Amino acid sequence: MDDAKTLFNEMDADNNGFLDSKEIKHFIEKISPIKPSEEEIDYMISEIDQNQDGKISFEEMELILQSREVLDINNLPKLPSLSGDYPDTNFLIIPSSGNIGFMVAKGLSKVPNFKVKCGIRKTTNPEIVKLIKNLDHVETVEVDNFSLESLKESMNGIDKVLTYFPSTTLSLWETAISNVLEAAREKAVRCVYWISAQHDVHDNELEVFKHVQKAVDMASSINQPLVEIKPNNLATNLYSNRENVIESAQIFIGYNSNVKTVITDPYDVAEFTMKIMAEPASDHEGKKYSITGPKALSFDEIAEQLSKAIQHEETLGRRRVSNRNKLIAMFDKADVNNDGSLSKDEYLECLRQNGFSDKNANRIFELSDTNSDGKLDENEFVKAIMNFYDRKNSEDSEKITVVEMDEGSFRGFCSNAGISDDDINILLSLYDSFNSGNCGENAVNTDDFYNVMGRMPKSFEEFIRENVGAFMHSHWDIVKSHSRADLLIKASFQ
Protein backbone atom coordinates (compact mmCIF):
# COMPACT_ATOMS: atom_id res chain seq x y z
CA MET A 1 0.00 0.00 0.00
CA ASP A 2 3.02 2.31 0.54
CA ASP A 3 3.86 2.04 -3.16
CA ALA A 4 0.27 2.94 -4.02
CA LYS A 5 0.45 5.99 -1.74
CA THR A 6 3.68 7.11 -3.41
CA LEU A 7 2.13 6.69 -6.87
CA PHE A 8 -1.01 8.52 -5.73
CA ASN A 9 1.06 11.50 -4.57
CA GLU A 10 3.03 11.54 -7.84
CA MET A 11 -0.21 11.77 -9.83
CA ASP A 12 -1.70 14.44 -7.58
CA ALA A 13 -0.23 17.20 -9.73
CA ASP A 14 -1.70 20.12 -7.76
CA ASN A 15 -1.01 18.49 -4.37
CA ASN A 16 -4.59 18.95 -3.22
CA GLY A 17 -4.90 15.37 -1.92
CA PHE A 18 -7.41 14.27 -4.57
CA LEU A 19 -7.46 12.66 -8.02
CA ASP A 20 -10.04 13.44 -10.69
CA SER A 21 -11.54 10.79 -12.97
CA LYS A 22 -8.75 10.99 -15.59
CA GLU A 23 -6.04 10.71 -12.92
CA ILE A 24 -7.90 7.85 -11.24
CA LYS A 25 -8.00 5.87 -14.47
CA HIS A 26 -4.26 6.38 -14.96
CA PHE A 27 -3.64 5.36 -11.33
CA ILE A 28 -5.65 2.14 -11.70
CA GLU A 29 -3.93 1.25 -14.96
CA LYS A 30 -0.58 1.59 -13.20
CA ILE A 31 -1.41 -0.67 -10.26
CA SER A 32 -3.73 -3.20 -11.94
CA PRO A 33 -3.35 -5.56 -14.93
CA ILE A 34 -6.97 -4.83 -15.82
CA LYS A 35 -7.76 -1.73 -17.85
CA PRO A 36 -11.17 -0.46 -16.69
CA SER A 37 -13.58 1.19 -19.08
CA GLU A 38 -14.88 4.76 -18.65
CA GLU A 39 -18.16 3.28 -17.39
CA GLU A 40 -16.34 1.25 -14.73
CA ILE A 41 -14.32 4.27 -13.62
CA ASP A 42 -17.54 6.28 -13.24
CA TYR A 43 -19.07 3.40 -11.30
CA MET A 44 -16.19 3.18 -8.83
CA ILE A 45 -16.18 6.94 -8.27
CA SER A 46 -19.92 7.02 -7.63
CA GLU A 47 -19.58 4.12 -5.17
CA ILE A 48 -17.19 5.93 -2.82
CA ASP A 49 -17.33 9.65 -3.73
CA GLN A 50 -19.37 10.70 -0.71
CA ASN A 51 -19.75 14.38 -1.60
CA GLN A 52 -20.32 13.76 -5.33
CA ASP A 53 -17.55 16.15 -6.43
CA GLY A 54 -15.98 13.63 -8.82
CA LYS A 55 -12.74 13.51 -6.83
CA ILE A 56 -11.27 10.72 -4.74
CA SER A 57 -8.94 10.98 -1.77
CA PHE A 58 -6.30 8.34 -1.11
CA GLU A 59 -8.33 7.07 1.87
CA GLU A 60 -11.30 6.53 -0.45
CA MET A 61 -9.09 4.94 -3.08
CA GLU A 62 -7.67 2.69 -0.38
CA LEU A 63 -11.14 1.23 0.15
CA ILE A 64 -11.19 0.13 -3.47
CA LEU A 65 -7.71 -1.34 -3.26
CA GLN A 66 -8.36 -3.19 -0.02
CA SER A 67 -11.62 -4.57 -1.41
CA ARG A 68 -9.92 -5.79 -4.58
CA GLU A 69 -12.71 -4.03 -6.47
CA VAL A 70 -10.17 -2.87 -9.06
CA LEU A 71 -8.67 -6.29 -9.60
CA ASP A 72 -12.07 -7.99 -9.73
CA ILE A 73 -14.09 -5.32 -11.50
CA ASN A 74 -14.55 -7.67 -14.46
CA ASN A 75 -14.80 -10.79 -12.37
CA LEU A 76 -15.44 -13.15 -15.26
CA PRO A 77 -11.88 -14.26 -15.99
CA LYS A 78 -10.49 -12.72 -19.17
CA LEU A 79 -8.33 -14.86 -21.41
CA PRO A 80 -5.04 -13.21 -22.33
CA SER A 81 -4.84 -11.79 -25.82
CA LEU A 82 -3.34 -14.02 -28.47
CA SER A 83 -0.07 -12.62 -29.80
CA GLY A 84 1.54 -13.39 -33.12
CA ASP A 85 0.57 -13.54 -36.77
CA TYR A 86 -2.31 -15.86 -37.61
CA PRO A 87 -3.81 -16.76 -40.99
CA ASP A 88 -7.43 -15.93 -41.75
CA THR A 89 -9.51 -18.58 -39.96
CA ASN A 90 -13.23 -19.16 -39.51
CA PHE A 91 -14.32 -20.79 -36.24
CA LEU A 92 -17.59 -22.34 -35.08
CA ILE A 93 -18.24 -22.77 -31.33
CA ILE A 94 -21.09 -25.21 -30.51
CA PRO A 95 -22.46 -24.53 -28.03
CA SER A 96 -21.30 -21.05 -27.04
CA SER A 97 -23.68 -20.77 -24.09
CA GLY A 98 -21.41 -22.49 -21.55
CA ASN A 99 -18.60 -20.73 -19.70
CA ILE A 100 -15.86 -22.42 -21.70
CA GLY A 101 -17.45 -21.86 -25.11
CA PHE A 102 -18.27 -18.25 -24.23
CA MET A 103 -14.72 -17.47 -23.09
CA VAL A 104 -13.15 -19.16 -26.12
CA ALA A 105 -15.45 -17.30 -28.51
CA LYS A 106 -14.69 -14.00 -26.79
CA GLY A 107 -10.94 -14.64 -26.87
CA LEU A 108 -10.74 -15.74 -30.49
CA SER A 109 -12.91 -12.83 -31.65
CA LYS A 110 -10.21 -10.38 -30.48
CA VAL A 111 -7.86 -11.48 -33.28
CA PRO A 112 -8.53 -9.22 -36.30
CA ASN A 113 -8.35 -11.92 -38.98
CA PHE A 114 -10.36 -14.52 -37.05
CA LYS A 115 -14.09 -14.84 -37.72
CA VAL A 116 -16.13 -16.52 -35.01
CA LYS A 117 -19.57 -18.05 -35.37
CA CYS A 118 -21.40 -18.97 -32.14
CA GLY A 119 -23.90 -21.80 -32.18
CA ILE A 120 -26.98 -21.42 -29.98
CA ARG A 121 -29.85 -23.82 -29.35
CA LYS A 122 -33.56 -23.08 -29.48
CA THR A 123 -33.69 -23.84 -25.77
CA THR A 124 -30.82 -21.52 -24.83
CA ASN A 125 -31.87 -18.98 -22.21
CA PRO A 126 -32.67 -15.63 -23.92
CA GLU A 127 -30.46 -13.72 -21.46
CA ILE A 128 -27.47 -15.83 -22.43
CA VAL A 129 -28.27 -15.40 -26.12
CA LYS A 130 -28.26 -11.64 -25.57
CA LEU A 131 -24.80 -11.83 -23.97
CA ILE A 132 -23.44 -13.87 -26.87
CA LYS A 133 -24.89 -11.49 -29.44
CA ASN A 134 -23.28 -8.58 -27.61
CA LEU A 135 -19.79 -9.99 -28.23
CA ASP A 136 -17.81 -7.94 -30.74
CA HIS A 137 -17.07 -9.44 -34.17
CA VAL A 138 -19.18 -12.55 -33.53
CA GLU A 139 -21.97 -14.03 -35.62
CA THR A 140 -24.65 -16.30 -34.12
CA VAL A 141 -26.38 -19.26 -35.73
CA GLU A 142 -29.06 -21.60 -34.42
CA VAL A 143 -27.75 -25.18 -34.31
CA ASP A 144 -29.28 -28.53 -33.37
CA ASN A 145 -26.62 -31.14 -32.52
CA PHE A 146 -29.10 -33.90 -33.34
CA SER A 147 -29.82 -32.61 -36.83
CA LEU A 148 -27.13 -33.37 -39.40
CA GLU A 149 -28.60 -30.82 -41.80
CA SER A 150 -28.58 -28.09 -39.15
CA LEU A 151 -24.94 -28.85 -38.32
CA LYS A 152 -23.85 -28.88 -41.96
CA GLU A 153 -25.55 -25.57 -42.61
CA SER A 154 -23.80 -24.00 -39.62
CA MET A 155 -20.41 -25.22 -40.90
CA ASN A 156 -20.49 -23.51 -44.30
CA GLY A 157 -17.07 -21.89 -44.77
CA ILE A 158 -15.82 -23.04 -41.35
CA ASP A 159 -12.19 -24.09 -40.80
CA LYS A 160 -12.24 -25.20 -37.17
CA VAL A 161 -15.03 -26.35 -34.82
CA LEU A 162 -15.12 -26.49 -31.03
CA THR A 163 -17.78 -28.73 -29.49
CA TYR A 164 -18.68 -30.20 -26.11
CA PHE A 165 -21.78 -31.62 -24.43
CA PRO A 166 -23.23 -31.40 -20.89
CA SER A 167 -22.25 -34.14 -18.43
CA THR A 168 -25.94 -34.53 -17.64
CA THR A 169 -26.56 -35.92 -21.16
CA LEU A 170 -23.81 -38.56 -21.33
CA SER A 171 -26.21 -41.10 -22.84
CA LEU A 172 -26.39 -38.88 -25.95
CA TRP A 173 -22.69 -38.15 -26.40
CA GLU A 174 -22.13 -40.90 -28.97
CA THR A 175 -24.89 -39.57 -31.24
CA ALA A 176 -23.90 -35.93 -30.73
CA ILE A 177 -20.19 -36.32 -31.54
CA SER A 178 -21.02 -38.57 -34.50
CA ASN A 179 -23.27 -35.89 -35.97
CA VAL A 180 -20.72 -33.12 -35.45
CA LEU A 181 -17.88 -35.10 -37.04
CA GLU A 182 -19.97 -36.33 -39.99
CA ALA A 183 -21.08 -32.78 -40.73
CA ALA A 184 -17.50 -31.53 -40.40
CA ARG A 185 -16.23 -34.24 -42.75
CA GLU A 186 -18.83 -33.41 -45.40
CA LYS A 187 -18.05 -29.69 -45.12
CA ALA A 188 -14.26 -30.28 -45.26
CA VAL A 189 -13.66 -28.67 -41.86
CA ARG A 190 -9.93 -28.61 -41.18
CA CYS A 191 -10.16 -29.85 -37.59
CA VAL A 192 -12.69 -30.47 -34.79
CA TYR A 193 -11.75 -29.83 -31.14
CA TRP A 194 -13.83 -31.87 -28.72
CA ILE A 195 -13.90 -31.20 -24.96
CA SER A 196 -14.85 -34.62 -23.62
CA ALA A 197 -13.87 -36.02 -20.20
CA GLN A 198 -10.98 -37.70 -18.41
CA HIS A 199 -12.89 -40.98 -18.44
CA ASP A 200 -9.87 -43.28 -18.51
CA VAL A 201 -9.43 -42.90 -14.74
CA HIS A 202 -12.71 -44.80 -14.14
CA ASP A 203 -13.19 -48.54 -13.80
CA ASN A 204 -14.03 -49.82 -17.30
CA GLU A 205 -17.00 -51.78 -15.94
CA LEU A 206 -18.79 -48.59 -14.85
CA GLU A 207 -21.54 -47.07 -16.99
CA VAL A 208 -19.82 -43.69 -17.08
CA PHE A 209 -16.70 -45.25 -18.62
CA LYS A 210 -18.68 -47.32 -21.12
CA HIS A 211 -20.73 -44.38 -22.43
CA VAL A 212 -17.78 -42.02 -22.84
CA GLN A 213 -15.72 -44.78 -24.43
CA LYS A 214 -18.51 -45.50 -26.93
CA ALA A 215 -18.46 -41.82 -27.93
CA VAL A 216 -14.66 -41.87 -28.20
CA ASP A 217 -14.73 -45.04 -30.34
CA MET A 218 -17.38 -43.52 -32.58
CA ALA A 219 -15.28 -40.38 -33.01
CA SER A 220 -12.23 -42.46 -33.93
CA SER A 221 -14.16 -44.34 -36.60
CA ILE A 222 -15.01 -41.18 -38.57
CA ASN A 223 -12.41 -39.90 -41.00
CA GLN A 224 -12.26 -36.36 -39.65
CA PRO A 225 -9.21 -34.66 -38.03
CA LEU A 226 -9.92 -34.40 -34.30
CA VAL A 227 -8.28 -33.09 -31.13
CA GLU A 228 -9.67 -34.37 -27.82
CA ILE A 229 -9.39 -32.24 -24.68
CA LYS A 230 -10.17 -34.19 -21.50
CA PRO A 231 -10.84 -32.17 -18.34
CA ASN A 232 -11.81 -33.69 -15.02
CA ASN A 233 -14.42 -32.39 -12.53
CA LEU A 234 -15.03 -28.74 -13.48
CA ALA A 235 -15.09 -26.22 -10.63
CA THR A 236 -18.17 -24.58 -12.14
CA ASN A 237 -20.21 -27.68 -11.27
CA LEU A 238 -20.37 -25.99 -7.88
CA TYR A 239 -22.74 -23.44 -9.44
CA SER A 240 -25.55 -26.02 -9.32
CA ASN A 241 -25.51 -25.41 -5.56
CA ARG A 242 -25.38 -21.62 -5.77
CA GLU A 243 -28.92 -21.01 -4.51
CA ASN A 244 -28.49 -23.58 -1.71
CA VAL A 245 -25.29 -21.88 -0.54
CA ILE A 246 -26.96 -18.47 -0.57
CA GLU A 247 -30.24 -19.45 1.05
CA SER A 248 -29.26 -22.17 3.54
CA ALA A 249 -25.44 -22.41 3.57
CA GLN A 250 -25.64 -25.98 2.26
CA ILE A 251 -24.12 -27.96 -0.59
CA PHE A 252 -25.93 -31.10 -1.78
CA ILE A 253 -23.89 -33.89 -3.37
CA GLY A 254 -24.49 -37.49 -4.45
CA TYR A 255 -21.32 -39.04 -3.03
CA ASN A 256 -19.25 -39.05 0.17
CA SER A 257 -18.17 -35.58 1.27
CA ASN A 258 -14.75 -36.75 2.50
CA VAL A 259 -13.80 -38.31 -0.86
CA LYS A 260 -11.20 -36.29 -2.79
CA THR A 261 -11.71 -35.48 -6.47
CA VAL A 262 -9.46 -33.41 -8.69
CA ILE A 263 -11.03 -30.03 -9.55
CA THR A 264 -10.40 -28.26 -12.87
CA ASP A 265 -10.85 -24.54 -13.46
CA PRO A 266 -12.85 -23.91 -16.68
CA TYR A 267 -10.70 -20.82 -17.29
CA ASP A 268 -7.71 -23.14 -17.81
CA VAL A 269 -9.69 -25.34 -20.19
CA ALA A 270 -10.79 -22.28 -22.17
CA GLU A 271 -7.32 -20.72 -22.34
CA PHE A 272 -5.74 -24.03 -23.40
CA THR A 273 -8.43 -24.62 -26.03
CA MET A 274 -8.16 -21.12 -27.46
CA LYS A 275 -4.39 -21.42 -27.79
CA ILE A 276 -4.34 -24.74 -29.63
CA MET A 277 -7.24 -23.71 -31.87
CA ALA A 278 -5.31 -20.63 -32.96
CA GLU A 279 -2.23 -22.70 -33.82
CA PRO A 280 -1.88 -24.81 -36.99
CA ALA A 281 -4.18 -27.82 -36.85
CA SER A 282 -1.30 -30.06 -37.92
CA ASP A 283 0.43 -29.32 -34.59
CA HIS A 284 -2.37 -30.95 -32.61
CA GLU A 285 -4.65 -33.15 -34.71
CA GLY A 286 -4.97 -36.72 -33.48
CA LYS A 287 -3.77 -35.78 -30.00
CA LYS A 288 -5.57 -36.27 -26.68
CA TYR A 289 -4.86 -33.79 -23.90
CA SER A 290 -5.75 -34.29 -20.24
CA ILE A 291 -6.38 -31.13 -18.21
CA THR A 292 -6.88 -31.16 -14.45
CA GLY A 293 -6.26 -28.91 -11.52
CA PRO A 294 -3.07 -29.37 -9.48
CA LYS A 295 -4.73 -30.96 -6.46
CA ALA A 296 -7.62 -33.19 -5.38
CA LEU A 297 -10.06 -31.89 -2.74
CA SER A 298 -12.97 -33.31 -0.79
CA PHE A 299 -16.27 -31.46 -0.62
CA ASP A 300 -15.66 -30.98 3.11
CA GLU A 301 -12.52 -29.02 2.16
CA ILE A 302 -14.37 -27.18 -0.62
CA ALA A 303 -17.11 -26.10 1.81
CA GLU A 304 -14.51 -24.89 4.30
CA GLN A 305 -12.63 -22.87 1.69
CA LEU A 306 -15.83 -21.35 0.32
CA SER A 307 -17.00 -20.43 3.84
CA LYS A 308 -13.73 -18.62 4.56
CA ALA A 309 -13.78 -16.84 1.21
CA ILE A 310 -17.35 -15.61 1.75
CA GLN A 311 -16.52 -14.39 5.25
CA HIS A 312 -13.50 -12.52 3.90
CA GLU A 313 -15.55 -10.86 1.16
CA GLU A 314 -18.37 -10.00 3.57
CA THR A 315 -15.85 -8.29 5.83
CA LEU A 316 -14.51 -6.22 2.95
CA GLY A 317 -18.03 -5.60 1.74
CA ARG A 318 -19.23 -4.25 5.08
CA ARG A 319 -16.31 -1.85 5.09
CA ARG A 320 -17.34 -0.53 1.72
CA VAL A 321 -21.06 -0.48 2.44
CA SER A 322 -20.41 1.51 5.59
CA ASN A 323 -18.62 4.18 3.56
CA ARG A 324 -21.13 4.57 0.77
CA ASN A 325 -23.50 7.40 -0.01
CA LYS A 326 -26.26 5.02 0.99
CA LEU A 327 -25.66 5.91 4.66
CA ILE A 328 -26.12 9.60 3.99
CA ALA A 329 -29.21 8.85 1.90
CA MET A 330 -30.56 6.81 4.83
CA PHE A 331 -29.94 9.75 7.13
CA ASP A 332 -31.65 12.25 4.82
CA LYS A 333 -34.69 9.98 4.45
CA ALA A 334 -34.98 9.49 8.21
CA ASP A 335 -34.62 13.23 8.94
CA VAL A 336 -38.30 13.89 8.30
CA ASN A 337 -38.29 17.42 9.72
CA ASN A 338 -35.10 18.39 7.87
CA ASP A 339 -33.38 19.81 10.93
CA GLY A 340 -30.07 18.09 10.19
CA SER A 341 -30.33 15.62 13.04
CA LEU A 342 -32.22 12.48 14.03
CA SER A 343 -34.17 12.16 17.23
CA LYS A 344 -34.01 8.79 18.93
CA ASP A 345 -37.45 7.89 17.56
CA GLU A 346 -36.43 8.83 14.01
CA TYR A 347 -33.18 6.92 14.40
CA LEU A 348 -34.84 3.77 15.74
CA GLU A 349 -37.45 3.77 12.97
CA CYS A 350 -34.73 4.21 10.35
CA LEU A 351 -32.78 1.23 11.65
CA ARG A 352 -35.91 -0.92 11.97
CA GLN A 353 -36.69 -0.28 8.30
CA ASN A 354 -33.15 -1.37 7.43
CA GLY A 355 -33.34 -4.70 9.28
CA PHE A 356 -31.83 -3.82 12.67
CA SER A 357 -33.39 -5.28 15.81
CA ASP A 358 -34.66 -2.87 18.48
CA LYS A 359 -31.98 -4.18 20.85
CA ASN A 360 -29.15 -3.44 18.41
CA ALA A 361 -30.65 -0.11 17.37
CA ASN A 362 -30.93 1.11 20.98
CA ARG A 363 -27.42 -0.05 21.81
CA ILE A 364 -25.96 1.68 18.74
CA PHE A 365 -27.77 4.91 19.64
CA GLU A 366 -26.48 4.90 23.22
CA LEU A 367 -22.91 4.35 22.04
CA SER A 368 -23.18 6.98 19.30
CA ASP A 369 -24.80 9.94 21.02
CA THR A 370 -21.41 11.24 22.06
CA ASN A 371 -22.65 14.61 23.37
CA SER A 372 -25.69 13.09 25.13
CA ASP A 373 -28.14 15.51 23.55
CA GLY A 374 -30.61 12.74 22.63
CA LYS A 375 -30.09 13.06 18.90
CA LEU A 376 -27.56 12.25 16.20
CA ASP A 377 -26.21 14.54 13.53
CA GLU A 378 -25.09 13.20 10.16
CA ASN A 379 -21.52 12.53 11.23
CA GLU A 380 -22.60 10.70 14.38
CA PHE A 381 -25.06 8.61 12.35
CA VAL A 382 -22.51 7.57 9.73
CA LYS A 383 -19.89 6.78 12.37
CA ALA A 384 -22.43 4.73 14.33
CA ILE A 385 -23.20 2.46 11.40
CA MET A 386 -19.53 2.17 10.49
CA ASN A 387 -18.69 1.09 14.04
CA PHE A 388 -21.53 -1.45 13.96
CA TYR A 389 -20.13 -3.03 10.80
CA ASP A 390 -16.64 -3.04 12.30
CA ARG A 391 -17.97 -5.09 15.21
CA LYS A 392 -19.78 -7.40 12.78
CA ASN A 393 -16.47 -8.02 11.06
CA SER A 394 -15.19 -9.83 14.15
CA GLU A 395 -18.09 -12.31 14.05
CA ASP A 396 -17.85 -15.61 12.21
CA SER A 397 -20.12 -16.16 9.21
CA GLU A 398 -22.32 -19.22 9.04
CA LYS A 399 -20.26 -22.17 7.88
CA ILE A 400 -21.38 -24.08 4.80
CA THR A 401 -22.32 -27.70 5.44
CA VAL A 402 -22.29 -30.56 2.96
CA VAL A 403 -25.40 -32.75 2.68
CA GLU A 404 -24.88 -36.23 1.24
CA MET A 405 -27.99 -37.30 -0.65
CA ASP A 406 -28.97 -40.96 -0.66
CA GLU A 407 -29.78 -42.57 -4.00
CA GLY A 408 -33.52 -41.91 -3.74
CA SER A 409 -33.05 -38.24 -2.93
CA PHE A 410 -30.47 -37.85 -5.70
CA ARG A 411 -32.78 -39.47 -8.25
CA GLY A 412 -35.58 -37.13 -7.25
CA PHE A 413 -33.27 -34.12 -7.39
CA CYS A 414 -32.07 -35.02 -10.90
CA SER A 415 -35.52 -35.94 -12.16
CA ASN A 416 -36.86 -32.55 -11.07
CA ALA A 417 -34.01 -30.96 -13.02
CA GLY A 418 -35.14 -32.74 -16.20
CA ILE A 419 -32.35 -35.34 -16.32
CA SER A 420 -33.33 -38.64 -17.93
CA ASP A 421 -33.30 -41.94 -16.02
CA ASP A 422 -30.45 -43.23 -18.21
CA ASP A 423 -28.32 -40.22 -17.42
CA ILE A 424 -29.14 -40.43 -13.71
CA ASN A 425 -27.83 -44.01 -13.73
CA ILE A 426 -24.65 -42.85 -15.47
CA LEU A 427 -24.15 -40.07 -12.92
CA LEU A 428 -24.62 -42.55 -10.08
CA SER A 429 -21.91 -44.74 -11.60
CA LEU A 430 -19.68 -41.66 -11.80
CA TYR A 431 -20.22 -41.05 -8.09
CA ASP A 432 -19.44 -44.71 -7.38
CA SER A 433 -16.14 -44.04 -9.11
CA PHE A 434 -15.60 -40.94 -6.97
CA ASN A 435 -16.28 -42.95 -3.81
CA SER A 436 -13.73 -45.55 -4.95
CA GLY A 437 -11.07 -42.85 -5.15
CA ASN A 438 -10.65 -43.07 -8.93
CA CYS A 439 -10.73 -39.29 -9.38
CA GLY A 440 -8.42 -38.34 -6.52
CA GLU A 441 -4.71 -37.60 -6.52
CA ASN A 442 -4.13 -40.42 -9.02
CA ALA A 443 -6.17 -38.46 -11.58
CA VAL A 444 -4.09 -35.28 -11.30
CA ASN A 445 -2.43 -34.62 -14.66
CA THR A 446 -0.84 -31.23 -15.22
CA ASP A 447 1.82 -32.24 -17.76
CA ASP A 448 -0.17 -31.59 -20.95
CA PHE A 449 -1.32 -28.19 -19.72
CA TYR A 450 2.16 -27.15 -18.58
CA ASN A 451 3.82 -28.28 -21.82
CA VAL A 452 1.42 -26.18 -23.94
CA MET A 453 0.84 -23.18 -21.67
CA GLY A 454 4.17 -22.91 -19.84
CA ARG A 455 2.48 -22.55 -16.45
CA MET A 456 0.71 -24.73 -13.90
CA PRO A 457 -3.10 -24.86 -13.96
CA LYS A 458 -5.00 -22.79 -11.42
CA SER A 459 -5.82 -24.13 -7.98
CA PHE A 460 -9.32 -24.33 -6.54
CA GLU A 461 -8.30 -21.58 -4.12
CA GLU A 462 -7.73 -19.27 -7.08
CA PHE A 463 -11.09 -20.23 -8.59
CA ILE A 464 -12.89 -19.39 -5.36
CA ARG A 465 -11.02 -16.12 -4.97
CA GLU A 466 -12.10 -15.05 -8.46
CA ASN A 467 -15.69 -16.33 -8.26
CA VAL A 468 -16.77 -16.02 -4.63
CA GLY A 469 -19.22 -13.22 -5.50
CA ALA A 470 -21.41 -15.77 -7.30
CA PHE A 471 -22.15 -17.45 -3.94
CA MET A 472 -23.09 -14.33 -1.97
CA HIS A 473 -26.48 -12.75 -1.47
CA SER A 474 -25.53 -9.39 -0.03
CA HIS A 475 -25.00 -5.85 -1.19
CA TRP A 476 -21.35 -6.79 -1.72
CA ASP A 477 -22.45 -9.44 -4.20
CA ILE A 478 -24.26 -6.73 -6.17
CA VAL A 479 -21.23 -4.46 -6.08
CA LYS A 480 -18.90 -7.25 -7.14
CA SER A 481 -21.33 -8.47 -9.76
CA HIS A 482 -22.26 -5.30 -11.57
CA SER A 483 -20.06 -6.14 -14.53
CA ARG A 484 -20.07 -9.93 -14.16
CA ALA A 485 -23.75 -10.49 -14.84
CA ASP A 486 -22.79 -12.83 -17.65
CA LEU A 487 -21.14 -15.25 -15.23
CA LEU A 488 -24.05 -15.10 -12.81
CA ILE A 489 -26.56 -15.72 -15.60
CA LYS A 490 -24.58 -18.78 -16.62
CA ALA A 491 -24.46 -19.94 -13.01
CA SER A 492 -28.23 -19.71 -12.82
CA PHE A 493 -29.28 -21.06 -16.17
CA GLN A 494 -26.59 -23.23 -17.67
Side-chain angles (χ1 to χ4, degrees):
M1 200 61 72
D2 290 341
D3 290 341
K5 177 63 173 175
T6 300
L7 181 61
F8 186 96
N9 290 337
E10 288 176 1
M11 293 185 177
D12 181 17
D14 54 7
N15 296 313
N16 67 351
F18 296 92
L19 300 184
D20 60 27
S21 59
K22 185 179 293 185
E23 292 170 325
I24 290 167
K25 183 174 182 180
H26 191 205
F27 176 82
I28 292 172
E29 288 175 346
K30 286 282 189 182
I31 57 124
S32 169
I34 293 173
K35 309 304 179 189
S37 66
E38 296 292 344
E39 181 182 5
E40 288 165 343
I41 291 291
D42 291 343
Y43 175 86
M44 285 187 284
I45 293 174
S46 68
E47 283 291 295
I48 61 173
D49 181 18
Q50 296 186 25
N51 60 8
Q52 296 292 303
D53 64 355
K55 296 182 178 181
I56 300 296
S57 68
F58 180 73
E59 287 70 27
E60 291 172 322
M61 180 62 73
E62 198 173 22
L63 289 171
I64 293 179
L65 299 178
Q66 290 173 341
S67 310
R68 303 200 336 270
E69 179 72 9
V70 175
L71 299 180
D72 291 342
I73 196 75
N74 283 312
N75 214 317
L76 180 64
K78 287 183 173 180
L79 297 184
S81 299
L82 290 165
S83 58
D85 295 324
Y86 297 99
D88 293 346
T89 310
N90 296 326
F91 298 90
L92 172 66
I93 314 295
I94 47 174
S96 56
S97 54
N99 282 304
I100 294 173
F102 184 85
M103 284 192 281
V104 171
K106 190 172 185 179
L108 290 174
S109 68
K110 301 296 184 184
V111 178
N113 50 335
F114 283 175
K115 291 184 179 179
V116 180
K117 189 185 292 186
C118 288
I120 55 177
R121 298 181 291 255
K122 277 187 178 180
T123 55
T124 301
N125 182 277
E127 292 300 319
I128 296 179
V129 174
K130 189 186 301 181
L131 289 167
I132 296 167
K133 290 186 174 181
N134 283 340
L135 291 176
D136 294 331
H137 315 299
V138 163
E139 176 188 349
T140 58
V141 59
E142 191 173 291
V143 183
D144 179 359
N145 281 349
F146 299 100
S147 166
L148 197 56
E149 291 304 314
S150 172
L151 285 164
K152 286 193 291 186
E153 185 175 346
S154 70
M155 293 184 194
N156 285 328
I158 295 297
D159 301 304
K160 297 179 179 181
V161 173
L162 170 64
T163 192
Y164 58 100
F165 319 112
S167 57
T168 52
T169 61
L170 270 165
S171 64
L172 303 175
W173 276 26
E174 182 181 3
T175 302
I177 191 61
S178 173
N179 286 342
V180 170
L181 292 175
E182 286 288 1
R185 184 179 60 81
E186 290 193 34
K187 288 295 181 177
V189 169
R190 180 66 187 85
C191 191
V192 173
Y193 301 77
W194 175 30
I195 299 174
S196 59
Q198 192 194 25
H199 75 292
D200 46 343
V201 299
H202 302 299
D203 188 318
N204 59 16
E205 294 301 316
L206 290 173
E207 288 299 306
V208 62
F209 176 89
K210 292 177 180 178
H211 277 81
V212 178
Q213 190 60 48
K214 280 183 180 178
V216 170
D217 291 342
M218 174 60 73
S220 299
S221 71
I222 298 171
N223 186 25
Q224 167 61 43
L226 176 69
V227 178
E228 190 180 353
I229 302 160
K230 306 190 300 179
N232 206 299
N233 196 7
L234 290 175
T236 40
N237 290 336
L238 191 57
Y239 286 148
S240 63
N241 270 286
R242 178 176 181 263
E243 296 303 321
N244 296 322
V245 170
I246 289 173
E247 299 300 333
S248 60
Q250 291 179 310
I251 294 174
F252 292 85
I253 62 173
Y255 54 97
N256 297 336
S257 64
N258 63 346
V259 169
K260 291 180 183 287
T261 62
V262 63
I263 307 295
T264 308
D265 192 323
Y267 173 94
D268 285 335
V269 181
E271 185 179 359
F272 181 94
T273 302
M274 181 181 73
K275 186 175 189 302
I276 66 173
M277 289 186 75
E279 294 173 349
S282 57
D283 290 354
H284 302 282
E285 66 178 73
K287 293 183 179 180
K288 298 174 184 286
Y289 296 106
S290 291
I291 300 180
T292 76
K295 183 180 177 182
L297 294 168
S298 71
F299 250 100
D300 289 335
E301 292 171 317
I302 288 171
E304 183 178 358
Q305 287 189 27
L306 184 55
S307 296
K308 288 179 178 178
I310 289 174
Q311 181 175 0
H312 177 68
E313 292 298 327
E314 284 177 343
T315 300
L316 296 176
R318 282 191 288 265
R319 293 183 64 182
R320 293 204 66 240
V321 170
S322 66
N323 282 276
R324 295 184 70 247
N325 290 334
K326 181 180 177 183
L327 293 181
I328 296 175
M330 283 171 58
F331 179 90
D332 291 340
K333 184 177 180 181
D335 183 16
V336 292
N337 61 3
N338 297 315
D339 66 351
S341 64
L342 299 184
S343 67
K344 186 172 183 178
D345 287 342
E346 289 175 324
Y347 179 83
L348 294 178
E349 181 59 27
C350 171
L351 265 60
R352 286 190 198 106
Q353 291 179 6
N354 285 277
F356 286 76
S357 67
D358 285 349
K359 180 181 178 181
N360 277 337
N362 276 290
R363 178 168 172 73
I364 295 170
F365 187 89
E366 290 168 5
L367 292 172
S368 307
D369 184 17
T370 53
N371 57 8
S372 301
D373 63 355
K375 56 187 178 181
L376 298 183
D377 62 24
E378 184 180 278
N379 288 332
E380 288 175 319
F381 175 83
V382 171
K383 188 174 181 180
I385 305 301
M386 289 172 63
N387 288 339
F388 172 79
Y389 281 125
D390 283 342
R391 286 192 293 274
K392 288 285 286 182
N393 287 344
S394 65
E395 299 175 6
D396 289 336
S397 298
E398 185 176 8
K399 289 190 175 180
I400 297 167
T401 58
V402 182
V403 179
E404 298 175 8
M405 291 184 283
D406 59 28
E407 183 176 330
S409 299
F410 181 75
R411 285 185 179 277
F413 176 83
C414 292
S415 182
N416 289 336
I419 301 174
S420 72
D421 288 343
D422 285 344
D423 284 310
I424 294 173
N425 289 331
I426 296 171
L427 287 174
L428 285 169
S429 78
L430 172 64
Y431 297 154
D432 285 341
S433 188
F434 285 178
N435 286 333
S436 298
N438 291 334
C439 293
E441 292 296 340
N442 63 300
V444 173
N445 186 338
T446 59
D447 291 346
D448 289 344
F449 186 87
Y450 184 84
N451 289 338
V452 172
M453 303 304 301
R455 68 169 177 86
M456 287 293 287
K458 291 187 174 186
S459 66
F460 181 75
E461 291 88 340
E462 290 175 282
F463 171 81
I464 286 297
R465 194 159 56 241
E466 292 174 345
N467 294 279
V468 63
F471 300 94
M472 297 172 64
H473 194 42
S474 63
H475 172 81
W476 184 232
D477 180 37
I478 297 171
V479 172
K480 295 265 294 180
S481 316
H482 82 279
S483 61
R484 51 171 283 145
D486 42 11
L487 181 56
L488 293 184
I489 288 171
K490 289 171 187 299
S492 301
F493 296 107
Q494 186 173 310

